[in-house]
Amino acid sequence: MKNNIKAFLDLVKERNGDEPEFLQAVEEVAETVIPYIVKHDIYYGKNILLRMVEPERVITFRVCWVDDSGEIQVNRGYRIQMNSAIGPYKGGLRFHPTVNMSILKFLAFEQVFKNSLTTLPMGGGKGGSDFDPKGKSDNEIMRFCHAFMGELFRHIGPNTDVPAGDIGVGSREIGFLFGMYKKLRNEFTGVLTGKGMSWGGSLIRPEATGYGNVYFAEKMLETKGDNFKGKNVVISGSGNVAQYAAEKVLQLGGRVLTLSDSSGYIYDEAGIDTEKLAFVMELKNVKRGRISEYLESYPNATFVKGKTPWNVKCDVALPCATQNELDEADAKALVDNGCICVSEGANMPSTKAAITVFHNAKILFAPGKASNAGGVATSGLEMTQNSLRFKWTREEVNTKLKDIMSDIHKSCLEFGEDEDGYVDYVRGANIAGFVKVADAMLAQGVV
Ligand code: NDP
């Protein structure tokens, strides 16, 4: 078995040697899926996984725009159309200076499995730009988004590829992107998700990734006869996913101790309650400030510069910022401090070594492709509502989101339960996600 996995990974490395994040994501999938393929004749010998690691299409393009001082700026735009076996490509756009081919390919690859797990008909894709929205005026953001869509519009469409938000792309950016798509195509369709409520957006979409992550963690805790009541929860990030994860933890009776951004984390021993969270939402979403400014209103909290919050003692950890933000030493600190559950809101926030620590300690651990799938699932529900030209109520969407997270949890149990009863959610999510896509690819032949 080891030889099969090594031979496969060597080949992928040979072709993608300078893409570390992509190789990390492929390795995690290969180690759990290849043993399954070997045991199942219908998949064996068909190079299914080799086909899945090769994007169906990669688009890169120039994005030129003029900043407020009249300077011409040049950025790079990308769209990775990874796999369309079970539906149109679907996945977010990330605007961040670190964006490159490796990061977008890892995200697109993860997205294929995640979208499959939702049970909705969505293929996998991802895109974005090395554009840094930090410190830019609203007008600069608008000009950049319009320029970006000035090329992307050729490659997407409601039945082809439906982008959404990700890091650096929230409702403001989706609005500007949608406006330009509509102008260029002269049609009003559900080509993007995460739209505003008055122009085709779905209720609960902004909350969906964070809420979904907490619903998933709740399901994991339930397997131990436990729940969020009274639990101390450490959260990283303070963006879309972190904010709504915090909101749902509070609703379920937990205590939120930390939030962070790329400059450091805040620790509030008294707990970040609903009022304090509203302050954070205003600070981050409207004023576009830094998390350290929390202390100006709540001076009893502490700000730890340049660090992640994993040394803070907690029962549950929700990494909701970015990839590889939680390493082996962080994982050991969490386990040593008694953490019983880690549920990823971000994509691939835990390193491979960190996941091994969680598995060895036999604590509950959910990989992002399962636990953060609520965002794209609700995007799928937004697409359905757009097609029907209909709007479900908040309660209807929330119930569907909860049901989907519960079904994903069940799929993980189906493929991830060990003989001793421990659930390897990584294996469960990878195999469950793989099976549906692989079956569709086999049915469609070699294309
Ligand atoms: P936002 O842009 O709203 O927030 C990102 C947060 O993460 C910010 O607090 C940001 O801090 C922090 N962050 C970003 N990069 C780093 C870094 N290198 N080190 C430390 N902190 C960092 O993004 P989202 O909340 O939407 O996304 C967060 C994660 O969740 C990402 O991994 C994304 O792929 C994933 N995700 C998002 C979904 C969604 O629906 N939005 C769906 C599924 C997954 P700062 O402001 O300083 O940059």
Side-chain angles (χ1 to χ4, degrees), residues 151-430:
E151 173 59 32
L152 188 69
F153 85 101
R154 290 175 224 288
H155 312 287
I156 61 175
N159 297 311
T160 311
D161 184 350
V162 183
D166 191 76
I167 291 178
V169 179
S171 56
R172 173 182 59 168
E173 291 74 18
I174 292 290
F176 295 144
L177 292 163
F178 184 78
M180 183 50 87
Y181 181 89
K182 183 167 65 64
K183 181 182 170 75
L184 294 171
R185 287 270 191 225
N186 195 25
E187 58 183 27
F188 195 113
T189 58
V191 66
L192 291 160
T193 56
K195 298 186 288 301
M197 295 307 145
S198 61
W199 42 282
S202 172
L203 290 159
I204 301 281
R205 176 60 189 93
E207 295 91 337
T209 309
Y211 278 19
N213 184 26
V214 176
Y215 291 149
F216 195 92
E218 196 185 23
K219 282 279 151 204
M220 291 201 292
L221 289 169
E222 253 176 51
T223 65
K224 306 278 176 202
D226 211 341
N227 61 45
F228 266 99
K229 277 207 186 78
K231 293 279 178 303
N232 286 320
V233 182
V234 160
I235 300 180
S236 66
S238 51
N240 172 268
V241 180
Q243 290 172 16
Y244 288 107
E247 185 168 281
K248 188 50 72 181
V249 167
L250 294 177
Q251 287 171 8
L252 295 180
R255 294 176 74 241
V256 176
L257 301 180
T258 66
L259 288 169
S260 73
D261 62 21
S262 53
S263 46
Y265 73 90
I266 51 138
Y267 170 46
D268 191 336
E269 203 181 348
I272 300 167
D273 59 18
T274 313
E275 181 208 309
K276 294 172 183 173
L277 183 59
F279 168 86
V280 172
M281 288 185 175
E282 168 88 7
L283 173 71
K284 299 303 279 189
N285 308 344
V286 181
K287 297 185 181 144
R288 303 203 181 262
R290 308 302 297 157
I291 199 67
S292 54
E293 292 168 51
Y294 182 91
L295 269 67
E296 290 168 17
S297 293
Y298 305 105
N300 289 337
T302 45
F303 173 65
V304 183
K305 200 174 164 190
K307 296 271 188 249
T308 48
W310 313 123
N311 277 301
V312 174
K313 189 172 163 50
C314 66
D315 304 301
V316 178
L318 305 176
C320 296
T322 193
Q323 65 274 357
N324 293 329
E325 55 164 314
L326 196 165
D327 64 15
E328 186 178 12
D330 298 326
K332 281 185 181 148
L334 282 168
V335 169
D336 289 348
N337 279 330
C339 177
I340 55 167
C341 174
V342 179
S343 192
E344 295 185 337
N347 285 309
M348 208 169 73
S350 311
T351 63
K352 191 164 181 263
I355 296 173
T356 304
V357 172
F358 297 141
H359 281 166
N360 288 344
K362 300 224 176 242
I363 69 163
L364 298 165
F365 170 72
K369 62 169 79 76
S371 46
N372 73 30
V376 73
T378 310
S379 278
L381 300 177
E382 182 173 330
M383 288 163 72
T384 307
Q385 293 170 84
N386 291 162
S387 300
L388 297 171
R389 301 212 184 278
F390 190 74
K391 205 167 172 113
W392 289 318
T393 64
R394 208 179 151 79
E395 290 68 35
E396 283 171 319
V397 181
N398 193 37
T399 303
K400 288 180 203 299
L401 169 63
K402 255 184 148 168
D403 288 348
I404 290 171
M405 297 316 295
S406 173
D407 286 346
I408 296 174
H409 184 263
K410 265 190 223 139
S411 302
C412 290
L413 295 190
E414 185 185 342
F415 293 102
E417 196 159 357
D418 291 339
E419 273 170 17
D420 65 358
Y422 178 69
V423 181
D424 179 342
Y425 287 88
V426 175
R427 188 176 78 234
N430 287 344

Side-chain angles (χ1 to χ4, degrees), residues 87-98:
Y89 309 106
K90 179 91 197 88
L93 296 170
R94 177 176 291 192
F95 292 169
H96 196 272
T98 57

